[in-house]
Every structure is written in C-alpha cells, then in structure tokens.
Amino acid sequence: MGCRTRAPVTDLLRVVVRDGVLVPDPRRRLPGRGASLHPTPECLHAAERRRAFSRALRTSAPLEAGPLRSHVLGPPAAAPGDAGSGAGDSTRTTDRRSRVGPAPGRTARREQDVVG
C-alpha cells in the first residue's frame, strides 16, 4: 500500500480500522475490510504521506495510526540514563516467515500477489 510494490500476502501486515484507530492484524483474523502493507517504517511513512489508509479502507473519517505505528516501529528507545535490568524486555521467539509448510491445522496457503 505505501510503497506500491507487489509481494506475497505472507510478507505483508494486514491493517483494519477499529473505532477510528488503525490496528495491526498480524494473524489476519479480525473482521472487516483490511489493507496490507510491508511492516517497515518506510512503507508506513509512505502510506501515511499518501493518505492511502483512508482510500484502501474506504473511510472518510480521520484515522489514528498510534497502535499501528508502535507495532511497525517497535517500542520507543530507552533514554541513555535508563539502563534497565531487561526484565520487561520481550523478544519474538517465532517468526511466521521462517516456518516451513502450512500453518498447523490448515491447508497450504496460496501464493496471492497483493499490492504492498
């Protein structure tokens, strides 16, 4: 959506609108119209600059991108004086793109090209 390049749907992040807020849907399960974009800061900024979300999601209301922005950009960097113990740090233990074969309990996904 933002960079307008084509990519397999498995490489893109689905986004839906909930009460005027852009919500990431990485599991692709939330109901409603969705839009897809690459989960990169460059693609997100391009989509915001072009106002692509309101067109793709067919809404004229202003959209808040806070949760989507924090999902794509990650947590804000800690200040230099905040040397925490790391107790609250969370890391991804699995990456859905590194899996081999179909998701558990599902048939093989079709390779669908969508605009990114």
XYZ file of all heavy atoms in Angstrom:
859
model
N 0.826 -1.170 0.000
C 0.000 0.000 0.000
C 0.879 1.244 0.000
O 0.704 2.110 -0.815
C -0.918 0.007 1.221
C -1.677 1.278 1.345
S -2.615 1.586 2.815
C -3.012 0.071 3.458
N 1.829 1.314 0.889
C 2.653 2.513 0.993
C 3.653 2.643 -0.134
O 3.733 3.655 -0.810
N 4.435 1.572 -0.357
C 5.475 1.638 -1.384
C 4.970 1.191 -2.751
O 5.660 1.342 -3.737
C 6.664 0.786 -0.955
S 6.270 -0.943 -0.730
N 3.779 0.626 -2.802
C 3.115 0.198 -4.035
C 3.864 -0.890 -4.793
O 3.783 -0.977 -6.007
C 2.860 1.388 -4.952
C 1.899 2.382 -4.367
C 1.485 3.350 -5.413
N 2.162 4.618 -5.184
C 1.987 5.682 -5.913
N 1.182 5.652 -6.932
N 2.633 6.788 -5.649
N 4.619 -1.713 -4.083
C 5.263 -2.848 -4.742
C 4.475 -4.111 -4.431
O 3.822 -4.214 -3.402
C 6.719 -3.024 -4.269
O 6.727 -3.224 -2.863
C 7.560 -1.827 -4.623
N 4.544 -5.072 -5.319
C 3.810 -6.323 -5.148
C 4.636 -7.278 -4.293
O 5.855 -7.315 -4.401
C 3.520 -6.937 -6.504
C 2.590 -6.071 -7.331
C 2.403 -6.637 -8.718
N 1.686 -7.894 -8.702
C 0.365 -8.011 -8.798
N -0.369 -6.933 -8.917
N -0.215 -9.184 -8.798
N 3.921 -8.054 -3.459
C 4.585 -9.027 -2.595
C 3.584 -10.110 -2.227
O 2.374 -9.883 -2.267
C 5.107 -8.344 -1.339
N 4.068 -11.289 -1.862
C 3.156 -12.328 -1.385
C 2.455 -11.859 -0.109
O 3.029 -11.134 0.703
C 4.067 -13.512 -1.084
C 5.327 -13.233 -1.813
C 5.442 -11.756 -1.923
N 1.224 -12.280 0.061
C 0.427 -11.849 1.204
C 1.090 -12.242 2.527
O 0.899 -11.579 3.543
C -1.014 -12.389 1.081
C -1.059 -13.880 1.292
C -1.950 -11.695 2.033
N 1.894 -13.297 2.523
C 2.560 -13.734 3.749
C 3.648 -12.766 4.202
O 4.055 -12.812 5.359
C 3.163 -15.128 3.566
O 4.045 -15.111 2.447
C 2.073 -16.169 3.354
N 4.121 -11.902 3.301
C 5.153 -10.926 3.659
C 4.569 -9.603 4.115
O 5.314 -8.704 4.493
C 6.070 -10.658 2.457
C 6.923 -11.869 2.114
O 7.039 -12.769 2.963
O 7.460 -11.898 0.993
N 3.252 -9.452 4.063
C 2.616 -8.175 4.367
C 1.878 -8.216 5.697
O 1.499 -9.268 6.189
C 1.633 -7.813 3.247
C 2.237 -7.703 1.854
C 1.142 -7.493 0.833
C 3.260 -6.600 1.805
N 1.666 -7.038 6.262
C 0.926 -6.887 7.510
C -0.470 -6.370 7.182
O -0.620 -5.363 6.487
C 1.640 -5.881 8.424
C 0.924 -5.504 9.719
C 0.813 -6.718 10.636
C 1.654 -4.381 10.409
N -1.497 -7.067 7.671
C -2.880 -6.635 7.450
C -3.234 -5.596 8.503
O -2.858 -5.713 9.666
C -3.828 -7.826 7.552
C -5.273 -7.455 7.275
C -6.155 -8.693 7.227
N -7.496 -8.361 6.810
C -8.528 -8.269 7.652
N -8.371 -8.495 8.940
N -9.723 -7.949 7.198
N -3.980 -4.572 8.082
C -4.394 -3.478 8.957
C -5.901 -3.317 8.822
O -6.436 -3.351 7.711
C -3.694 -2.157 8.553
C -4.129 -1.020 9.429
C -2.197 -2.325 8.594
N -6.595 -3.146 9.948
C -8.034 -2.894 9.951
C -8.313 -1.658 10.784
O -7.457 -1.197 11.539
C -8.838 -4.099 10.500
C -8.691 -5.307 9.618
C -8.428 -4.423 11.912
N -9.537 -1.135 10.655
C -9.945 0.031 11.436
C -10.873 -0.424 12.547
O -11.829 -1.156 12.311
C -10.661 1.076 10.545
C -11.198 2.211 11.384
C -9.734 1.591 9.492
N -10.590 0.008 13.767
C -11.440 -0.250 14.930
C -11.684 1.080 15.625
O -10.754 1.659 16.200
C -10.758 -1.204 15.919
C -10.608 -2.580 15.409
C -11.885 -3.336 15.727
N -11.878 -4.602 15.056
C -12.889 -5.035 14.335
N -13.961 -4.330 14.202
N -12.835 -6.187 13.744
N -12.900 1.590 15.555
C -13.282 2.852 16.208
C -12.364 4.009 15.806
O -11.926 4.786 16.647
C -13.284 2.694 17.730
C -14.269 1.638 18.189
O -15.370 1.562 17.597
O -13.946 0.888 19.136
N -12.040 4.097 14.529
C -11.225 5.197 14.029
C -9.733 5.036 14.273
O -8.970 5.976 14.076
N -9.299 3.857 14.713
C -7.892 3.602 15.007
C -7.396 2.497 14.082
O -8.048 1.463 13.927
C -7.710 3.178 16.485
C -6.265 2.867 16.780
C -8.229 4.256 17.414
N -6.239 2.702 13.470
C -5.619 1.677 12.627
C -4.981 0.624 13.523
O -4.102 0.927 14.325
C -4.560 2.289 11.717
C -5.088 3.234 10.640
C -3.937 3.946 9.960
C -5.922 2.479 9.644
N -5.452 -0.612 13.403
C -4.996 -1.703 14.265
C -4.288 -2.751 13.412
O -4.840 -3.204 12.414
C -6.205 -2.343 14.991
C -5.769 -3.497 15.866
C -6.959 -1.306 15.795
N -3.075 -3.156 13.807
C -2.405 -4.226 13.060
C -3.099 -5.555 13.316
O -3.582 -5.827 14.412
C -0.979 -4.223 13.629
C -1.097 -3.598 14.964
C -2.251 -2.644 14.896
N -3.170 -6.383 12.281
C -3.798 -7.697 12.372
C -2.832 -8.748 11.830
O -3.026 -9.287 10.743
C -5.109 -7.700 11.584
C -5.881 -8.996 11.704
O -5.593 -9.783 12.626
O -6.777 -9.218 10.875
N -1.748 -9.042 12.573
C -0.741 -9.969 12.045
C -1.256 -11.382 11.833
O -0.759 -12.094 10.975
C 0.371 -9.940 13.101
C -0.242 -9.381 14.318
C -1.400 -8.525 13.893
N -2.276 -11.796 12.588
C -2.821 -13.144 12.413
C -3.891 -13.189 11.329
O -4.403 -14.263 11.011
C -3.395 -13.643 13.735
C -2.304 -13.821 14.783
C -2.847 -14.339 16.083
N -3.510 -15.605 15.870
C -4.495 -16.056 16.639
N -4.917 -15.356 17.653
N -5.058 -17.224 16.387
N -4.265 -12.037 10.796
C -5.237 -11.921 9.709
C -6.586 -12.515 10.092
O -7.215 -13.216 9.318
C -4.701 -12.553 8.430
C -3.331 -12.046 8.029
C -2.830 -12.633 6.753
N -3.487 -12.069 5.603
C -3.215 -10.882 5.052
N -2.282 -10.134 5.584
N -3.871 -10.463 4.012
N -7.048 -12.224 11.315
C -8.287 -12.800 11.810
C -9.372 -11.775 12.122
O -10.527 -12.151 12.283
C -8.029 -13.590 13.110
C -7.073 -14.739 12.977
C -7.726 -15.903 12.260
N -6.911 -17.099 12.294
C -6.043 -17.443 11.369
N -5.847 -16.660 10.339
N -5.351 -18.556 11.465
N -9.026 -10.507 12.267
C -10.021 -9.507 12.647
C -11.028 -9.290 11.528
O -10.670 -9.314 10.347
C -9.338 -8.180 13.002
C -8.454 -8.213 14.243
C -7.757 -6.869 14.428
C -9.265 -8.563 15.472
N -12.289 -9.070 11.879
C -13.307 -8.864 10.847
C -13.209 -7.478 10.228
O -12.609 -6.565 10.785
C -14.624 -9.020 11.621
C -14.277 -8.621 13.007
C -12.856 -9.064 13.218
N -13.806 -7.336 9.073
C -13.871 -6.042 8.406
C -12.900 -5.932 7.256
O -12.077 -6.806 6.997
N -13.026 -4.806 6.566
C -12.163 -4.537 5.425
C -10.742 -4.331 5.915
O -10.499 -3.660 6.885
C -12.656 -3.290 4.701
C -11.791 -2.916 3.521
C -12.371 -1.750 2.762
N -13.197 -2.088 1.627
C -12.832 -2.757 0.551
N -11.630 -3.248 0.479
N -13.639 -2.965 -0.441
N -9.800 -4.906 5.220
C -8.399 -4.778 5.595
C -7.563 -4.206 4.471
O -7.948 -4.235 3.306
N -6.436 -3.674 4.841
C -5.443 -3.175 3.894
C -4.119 -3.826 4.264
O -3.891 -4.157 5.427
C -5.337 -1.659 3.970
N -3.245 -4.014 3.290
C -1.967 -4.671 3.545
C -0.817 -3.752 3.200
O -0.877 -3.006 2.224
C -1.856 -5.950 2.716
O -2.867 -6.854 3.074
N 0.237 -3.816 4.019
C 1.443 -3.068 3.730
C 2.637 -3.824 4.275
O 2.484 -4.698 5.129
C 1.388 -1.654 4.309
C 1.655 -1.467 5.791
C 2.245 -0.085 6.000
C 0.394 -1.581 6.589
N 3.828 -3.484 3.765
C 5.045 -4.085 4.290
C 5.240 -3.581 5.720
O 5.045 -2.397 5.984
C 6.262 -3.680 3.449
C 6.269 -4.306 2.109
N 5.831 -3.638 0.980
C 6.649 -5.536 1.701
C 5.962 -4.444 -0.059
N 6.446 -5.608 0.352
N 5.645 -4.438 6.656
C 5.842 -3.988 8.041
C 7.181 -3.283 8.231
O 7.985 -3.643 9.077
C 5.759 -5.298 8.833
C 6.189 -6.351 7.884
C 5.749 -5.885 6.524
N 7.418 -2.260 7.419
C 8.655 -1.477 7.506
C 8.304 -0.016 7.740
O 7.252 0.457 7.296
C 9.468 -1.581 6.205
O 8.695 -1.043 5.129
C 9.856 -3.024 5.895
N 9.174 0.717 8.420
C 8.904 2.145 8.645
C 8.758 2.932 7.347
O 7.927 3.827 7.256
C 10.129 2.621 9.431
C 10.688 1.394 10.063
C 10.371 0.267 9.128
N 9.535 2.577 6.321
C 9.471 3.304 5.061
C 8.099 3.168 4.407
O 7.521 4.139 3.918
C 10.556 2.809 4.093
C 11.970 3.046 4.555
C 12.451 1.989 5.551
O 11.851 0.899 5.620
O 13.436 2.279 6.250
N 7.580 1.952 4.388
C 6.276 1.709 3.772
C 5.164 2.386 4.579
O 4.228 2.946 4.015
C 6.037 0.208 3.649
S 4.640 -0.219 2.602
N 5.257 2.346 5.897
C 4.265 3.000 6.751
C 4.259 4.507 6.525
O 3.201 5.115 6.349
C 4.534 2.684 8.220
C 3.649 3.412 9.231
C 2.191 3.013 9.061
C 4.123 3.135 10.642
N 5.439 5.125 6.496
C 5.514 6.571 6.280
C 4.986 6.959 4.898
O 4.303 7.979 4.750
C 6.945 7.073 6.463
C 7.440 6.953 7.873
N 6.751 7.425 8.963
C 8.562 6.386 8.367
C 7.420 7.162 10.063
N 8.526 6.529 9.731
N 5.285 6.141 3.900
C 4.789 6.428 2.550
C 3.264 6.343 2.505
O 2.601 7.182 1.887
C 5.405 5.468 1.541
N 2.685 5.344 3.175
C 1.226 5.194 3.198
C 0.570 6.364 3.932
O -0.470 6.865 3.501
C 0.849 3.873 3.864
N 1.168 6.808 5.031
C 0.623 7.953 5.761
C 0.728 9.224 4.924
O -0.201 10.023 4.886
C 1.357 8.129 7.091
C 1.016 7.068 8.103
C 1.793 7.221 9.388
O 2.997 7.579 9.343
O 1.197 7.005 10.455
N 1.860 9.412 4.275
C 2.081 10.617 3.472
C 1.098 10.680 2.301
O 0.569 11.739 1.982
C 3.524 10.626 2.958
C 3.902 11.898 2.223
C 5.360 11.903 1.786
N 5.675 10.786 0.900
C 6.463 9.756 1.214
N 7.025 9.683 2.395
N 6.694 8.802 0.338
N 0.811 9.531 1.699
C -0.102 9.486 0.549
C -1.570 9.388 0.955
O -2.448 9.356 0.107
C 0.240 8.266 -0.326
C 1.572 8.381 -1.021
C 1.901 7.156 -1.868
N 0.767 6.648 -2.593
C 0.243 5.411 -2.433
N 0.781 4.576 -1.573
N -0.772 5.023 -3.135
N -1.842 9.268 2.256
C -3.209 9.098 2.783
C -3.859 7.856 2.182
O -5.026 7.853 1.807
C -4.057 10.335 2.526
C -3.532 11.560 3.227
C -4.484 12.719 3.025
N -3.830 13.942 3.443
C -3.450 14.899 2.629
N -3.691 14.788 1.347
N -2.866 15.969 3.085
N -3.091 6.790 2.083
C -3.555 5.569 1.436
C -4.512 4.763 2.305
O -5.333 4.016 1.790
C -2.356 4.696 1.052
N -4.420 4.894 3.627
C -5.274 4.103 4.505
C -6.746 4.442 4.322
O -7.591 3.555 4.238
C -4.881 4.280 5.969
C -3.567 3.646 6.309
C -2.470 4.420 6.631
C -3.423 2.271 6.302
C -1.262 3.836 6.941
C -2.213 1.676 6.612
C -1.130 2.463 6.932
N -7.079 5.718 4.261
C -8.490 6.091 4.123
C -9.061 5.624 2.786
O -10.215 5.207 2.713
C -8.675 7.595 4.290
O -7.906 8.298 3.346
N -8.254 5.644 1.732
C -8.733 5.148 0.435
C -8.882 3.634 0.438
O -9.890 3.088 -0.006
C -7.777 5.576 -0.681
C -7.975 6.986 -1.152
C -7.236 7.227 -2.467
N -5.834 6.854 -2.412
C -4.857 7.641 -1.992
N -5.135 8.855 -1.563
N -3.615 7.229 -1.998
N -7.866 2.929 0.932
C -7.899 1.465 0.902
C -8.979 0.895 1.821
O -9.594 -0.109 1.511
C -6.539 0.905 1.303
N -9.215 1.554 2.936
C -10.199 1.068 3.889
C -11.570 1.693 3.683
O -12.504 1.424 4.444
C -9.702 1.312 5.317
C -8.406 0.570 5.646
C -7.822 1.058 6.950
C -8.641 -0.921 5.678
N -11.673 2.555 2.675
C -12.937 3.192 2.287
C -13.630 3.891 3.443
O -14.789 3.637 3.758
C -13.875 2.175 1.644
C -13.322 1.625 0.358
C -14.277 0.685 -0.294
N -13.666 0.117 -1.489
C -14.204 -0.861 -2.179
N -15.353 -1.374 -1.818
N -13.596 -1.323 -3.238
N -12.910 4.795 4.073
C -13.475 5.584 5.149
C -13.078 7.041 4.945
O -12.006 7.334 4.426
C -13.004 5.087 6.526
O -13.599 5.875 7.537
C -11.500 5.144 6.676
N -13.952 7.940 5.336
C -13.639 9.361 5.194
C -13.283 9.984 6.542
O -12.859 11.125 6.599
C -14.834 10.097 4.585
O -15.969 9.933 5.421
N -13.469 9.240 7.622
C -13.153 9.752 8.953
C -11.635 9.801 9.144
O -10.908 8.986 8.577
C -13.777 8.857 10.018
N -11.148 10.732 9.953
C -9.702 10.757 10.233
C -9.302 9.508 11.017
O -10.040 9.039 11.883
C -9.505 12.023 11.080
C -10.852 12.437 11.513
C -11.856 11.820 10.602
N -8.140 8.958 10.706
C -7.690 7.712 11.316
C -6.479 7.962 12.203
O -5.557 8.680 11.822
C -7.337 6.693 10.234
C -8.472 6.303 9.297
C -7.951 5.439 8.165
C -9.557 5.571 10.068
N -6.475 7.342 13.368
C -5.351 7.418 14.295
C -4.457 6.199 14.053
O -4.932 5.061 14.070
C -5.853 7.412 15.738
C -4.784 7.272 16.778
C -3.745 8.380 16.731
O -4.130 9.536 16.486
O -2.561 8.071 16.918
N -3.166 6.422 13.842
C -2.250 5.331 13.494
C -1.346 4.921 14.648
O -0.371 4.219 14.434
C -1.406 5.743 12.297
N -1.654 5.313 15.874
C -0.795 5.030 17.022
C -0.451 3.569 17.217
O 0.731 3.203 17.244
N -1.447 2.659 17.363
C -1.110 1.243 17.563
C -0.361 0.629 16.379
O 0.551 -0.169 16.580
C -2.471 0.569 17.738
C -3.376 1.653 18.207
C -2.871 2.905 17.556
N -0.710 1.017 15.174
C -0.007 0.504 14.001
C 1.431 1.006 13.993
O 2.367 0.246 13.738
C -0.725 0.928 12.719
C -0.027 0.559 11.418
C 0.106 -0.946 11.281
C -0.772 1.142 10.238
N 1.617 2.277 14.282
C 2.953 2.864 14.302
C 3.834 2.157 15.343
O 4.986 1.831 15.061
C 2.848 4.359 14.616
C 3.944 5.172 14.013
C 3.748 6.662 14.238
N 2.784 7.219 13.308
C 1.706 7.898 13.665
N 1.445 8.117 14.921
N 0.882 8.371 12.764
N 3.293 1.908 16.541
C 4.100 1.250 17.571
C 4.394 -0.205 17.203
O 5.440 -0.730 17.563
C 3.412 1.332 18.928
O 2.194 0.634 18.912
N 3.493 -0.863 16.474
C 3.740 -2.238 16.040
C 4.861 -2.290 15.001
O 5.734 -3.147 15.070
C 2.466 -2.853 15.458
C 2.626 -4.265 15.000
N 2.546 -5.326 15.853
C 2.896 -4.778 13.775
C 2.748 -6.446 15.174
N 2.954 -6.141 13.908
N 4.834 -1.368 14.057
C 5.831 -1.378 12.974
C 7.169 -0.832 13.454
O 8.220 -1.419 13.188
C 5.323 -0.570 11.759
C 6.420 -0.389 10.727
C 4.129 -1.266 11.136
N 7.144 0.273 14.179
C 8.389 0.914 14.593
C 8.991 0.290 15.840
O 10.156 0.505 16.131
C 8.159 2.408 14.831
C 7.624 3.196 13.637
C 7.379 4.629 14.030
C 8.566 3.103 12.462
N 8.212 -0.467 16.602
C 8.707 -1.085 17.821
C 8.590 -0.138 18.991
O 8.158 1.012 18.859
N 8.998 -0.587 20.175
C 8.906 0.269 21.361
C 9.894 1.423 21.247
O 10.942 1.285 20.595
C 9.265 -0.665 22.512
C 10.057 -1.761 21.883
C 9.532 -1.903 20.485
N 9.560 2.562 21.875
C 10.494 3.688 21.819
C 11.812 3.329 22.493
O 11.844 2.542 23.449
C 9.768 4.809 22.568
C 8.654 4.155 23.300
C 8.378 2.847 22.646
N 12.890 3.886 21.996
C 14.213 3.611 22.548
C 14.318 4.179 23.959
O 13.791 5.248 24.254
C 15.290 4.223 21.658
N 15.009 3.464 24.827
C 15.182 3.916 26.204
C 16.158 5.082 26.237
O 17.079 5.171 25.415
C 15.701 2.771 27.065
N 15.958 5.969 27.195
C 16.850 7.109 27.362
C 18.223 6.600 27.790
O 18.337 5.542 28.417
C 16.279 8.066 28.397
N 19.299 7.335 27.499
C 20.647 6.873 27.848
C 20.825 6.590 29.336
O 21.572 5.710 29.710
C 21.559 8.019 27.398
C 20.771 8.767 26.389
C 19.338 8.570 26.734
N 20.122 7.299 30.209
C 20.260 7.093 31.648
C 19.456 5.921 32.157
O 19.596 5.511 33.304
N 18.594 5.346 31.332
C 17.740 4.240 31.755
C 18.381 2.910 31.394
O 18.047 2.281 30.413
C 16.362 4.320 31.080
C 15.579 5.532 31.513
O 15.924 6.098 32.556
O 14.620 5.898 30.796
N 19.293 2.458 32.206
C 19.913 1.153 31.974
C 19.138 0.144 32.794
O 19.468 -0.150 33.931
C 21.390 1.178 32.377
N 18.067 -0.382 32.216
C 17.192 -1.305 32.935
C 17.807 -2.679 33.046
O 18.820 -3.014 32.427
N 17.162 -3.518 33.854
C 17.654 -4.869 34.066
C 17.265 -5.797 32.925
O 17.743 -6.913 32.848
C 17.104 -5.422 35.381
O 15.700 -5.516 35.301
N 16.336 -5.327 32.063
C 15.917 -6.162 30.957
C 14.801 -7.103 31.331
O 14.458 -7.982 30.567
N 14.232 -6.944 32.521
C 13.180 -7.844 32.969
C 11.926 -7.699 32.120
O 11.204 -8.657 31.916
C 12.848 -7.579 34.431
N 11.671 -6.502 31.621
C 10.480 -6.285 30.830
C 10.685 -6.448 29.342
O 9.777 -6.234 28.566
N 11.883 -6.805 28.948
C 12.168 -6.952 27.518
C 11.464 -8.179 26.972
O 11.452 -9.231 27.593
C 13.664 -7.091 27.276
C 14.425 -5.822 27.616
O 13.784 -4.781 27.790
O 15.650 -5.900 27.689
N 10.871 -8.012 25.813
C 10.236 -9.159 25.176
C 10.808 -9.301 23.777
O 11.003 -8.325 23.076
C 8.721 -8.979 25.112
O 8.403 -7.880 24.313
N 11.090 -10.516 23.402
C 11.596 -10.775 22.062
C 10.701 -11.789 21.402
O 10.063 -12.604 22.059
C 13.041 -11.322 22.106
O 13.037 -12.515 22.880
C 13.990 -10.308 22.710
N 10.658 -11.726 20.111
C 9.875 -12.696 19.354
C 10.619 -14.007 19.321
O 11.787 -14.065 18.951
C 9.684 -12.215 17.931
C 8.479 -11.395 17.739
C 8.292 -11.240 16.255
N 6.894 -11.036 15.994
C 6.436 -10.431 14.940
N 7.270 -9.995 14.035
N 5.162 -10.272 14.762
N 9.922 -15.066 19.705
C 10.564 -16.365 19.681
C 10.307 -17.098 18.374
O 11.036 -18.008 18.033
C 10.081 -17.235 20.855
O 8.658 -17.338 20.775
C 10.491 -16.617 22.178
N 9.252 -16.700 17.660
C 8.967 -17.336 16.386
C 8.757 -16.276 15.328
O 8.278 -15.190 15.612
C 7.696 -18.211 16.455
O 6.593 -17.377 16.808
C 7.856 -19.324 17.466
N 9.110 -16.600 14.141
C 8.903 -15.719 13.006
C 8.083 -16.499 11.999
O 8.495 -17.556 11.538
C 10.245 -15.307 12.404
C 10.093 -14.324 11.271
O 8.952 -13.885 11.016
O 11.102 -13.983 10.640
N 6.906 -15.978 11.656
C 5.998 -16.740 10.799
C 6.572 -16.984 9.412
O 6.200 -17.918 8.738
C 4.639 -16.062 10.697
C 4.665 -14.739 10.006
C 3.273 -14.151 9.975
N 3.284 -12.769 9.600
C 3.298 -12.344 8.348
N 3.291 -13.199 7.368
N 3.317 -11.065 8.083
N 7.516 -16.163 8.979
C 8.093 -16.371 7.659
C 9.143 -17.477 7.662
O 9.523 -17.962 6.623
C 8.708 -15.080 7.150
C 7.641 -14.074 6.728
C 8.263 -12.812 6.297
N 8.492 -12.052 7.520
C 9.172 -10.944 7.601
N 9.720 -10.451 6.547
N 9.322 -10.315 8.724
N 9.632 -17.873 8.853
C 10.659 -18.899 8.895
C 10.067 -20.304 8.961
O 10.794 -21.275 8.912
C 11.571 -18.671 10.099
O 10.839 -18.819 11.294
N 8.754 -20.411 9.090
C 8.121 -21.720 9.130
C 8.206 -22.402 7.774
O 8.156 -21.765 6.736
C 6.646 -21.599 9.497
C 6.416 -21.198 10.904
C 4.944 -21.277 11.191
N 4.656 -20.525 12.390
C 3.533 -19.881 12.599
N 2.582 -19.911 11.700
N 3.342 -19.221 13.699
N 8.280 -23.708 7.808
C 8.282 -24.482 6.577
C 6.973 -25.241 6.531
O 6.599 -25.906 7.482
C 9.473 -25.452 6.542
C 9.407 -26.310 5.300
C 10.771 -24.690 6.618
N 6.260 -25.126 5.436
C 4.995 -25.827 5.282
C 3.829 -24.985 5.777
O 3.994 -23.865 6.237
N 2.623 -25.525 5.663
C 1.431 -24.767 6.047
C 1.314 -24.603 7.555
O 1.942 -25.323 8.321
C 0.281 -25.617 5.495
C 0.837 -26.989 5.421
C 2.297 -26.827 5.132
N 0.503 -23.644 7.963
C 0.249 -23.423 9.382
C -0.440 -24.655 9.963
O -1.127 -25.390 9.251
C -0.630 -22.193 9.553
N -0.264 -24.910 11.262
C -0.884 -26.089 11.867
C -2.393 -26.076 11.693
O -3.047 -25.064 11.925
C -0.513 -25.977 13.342
C 0.643 -25.058 13.397
C 0.528 -24.160 12.210
N -2.948 -27.195 11.270
C -4.391 -27.320 11.120
C -4.955 -26.656 9.879
O -6.153 -26.508 9.741
N -4.126 -26.218 8.975
C -4.599 -25.541 7.776
C -3.999 -26.186 6.551
O -2.967 -26.822 6.610
C -4.195 -24.067 7.786
C -4.650 -23.348 9.020
C -4.408 -21.897 8.868
N -5.730 -21.308 8.750
C -6.008 -20.226 8.077
N -5.086 -19.595 7.445
N -7.216 -19.751 8.029
N -4.637 -25.956 5.446
C -4.078 -26.426 4.186
C -3.029 -25.421 3.739
O -2.906 -24.341 4.286
C -5.177 -26.524 3.113
O -5.766 -25.243 2.947
C -6.232 -27.534 3.527
N -2.259 -25.776 2.764
C -1.205 -24.893 2.280
C -1.806 -23.582 1.793
O -2.830 -23.551 1.125
C -0.434 -25.570 1.154
N -1.172 -22.499 2.166
C -1.662 -21.179 1.744
C -1.358 -20.959 0.279
O -0.329 -21.383 -0.232
C -0.974 -20.070 2.532
C -1.337 -20.045 3.965
C -0.624 -18.897 4.618
N -0.892 -18.932 6.033
C -1.004 -17.862 6.773
N -0.831 -16.694 6.256
N -1.249 -17.964 8.048
N -2.247 -20.269 -0.365
C -1.990 -19.954 -1.769
C -1.106 -18.719 -1.831
O -1.170 -17.839 -0.992
C -3.292 -19.718 -2.515
C -4.035 -18.526 -1.995
C -5.281 -18.273 -2.804
N -5.854 -17.046 -2.288
C -7.084 -16.883 -1.972
N -7.945 -17.842 -2.131
N -7.524 -15.733 -1.503
N -0.256 -18.682 -2.799
C 0.611 -17.526 -3.004
C -0.176 -16.485 -3.775
O -0.360 -16.579 -4.980
C 1.874 -17.926 -3.766
C 2.860 -18.683 -2.933
C 3.403 -17.848 -1.780
O 3.677 -16.643 -1.984
O 3.529 -18.398 -0.694
N -0.667 -15.516 -3.064
C -1.503 -14.483 -3.677
C -0.698 -13.204 -3.741
O -0.144 -12.771 -2.749
C -2.747 -14.278 -2.830
C -3.635 -13.170 -3.290
C -4.815 -12.982 -2.353
O -5.003 -13.751 -1.437
N -5.588 -11.966 -2.594
N -0.665 -12.605 -4.895
C 0.031 -11.333 -5.031
C -0.933 -10.218 -4.667
O -2.066 -10.181 -5.120
C 0.514 -11.116 -6.469
C 1.711 -11.982 -6.791
O 2.370 -12.434 -5.843
O 1.987 -12.198 -7.967
N -0.472 -9.329 -3.821
C -1.238 -8.146 -3.466
C -0.322 -6.955 -3.539
O 0.887 -7.081 -3.527
C -1.854 -8.255 -2.050
C -2.865 -9.360 -1.978
C -0.780 -8.459 -1.025
N -0.920 -5.792 -3.587
C -0.142 -4.575 -3.655
C 0.318 -4.230 -2.259
O -0.467 -4.197 -1.322
C -0.965 -3.438 -4.259
C -0.195 -2.146 -4.240
C -1.373 -3.794 -5.662
N 1.614 -3.996 -2.062
C 2.199 -3.739 -0.739
C 2.234 -2.321 -0.379
O 2.055 -1.369 -0.910
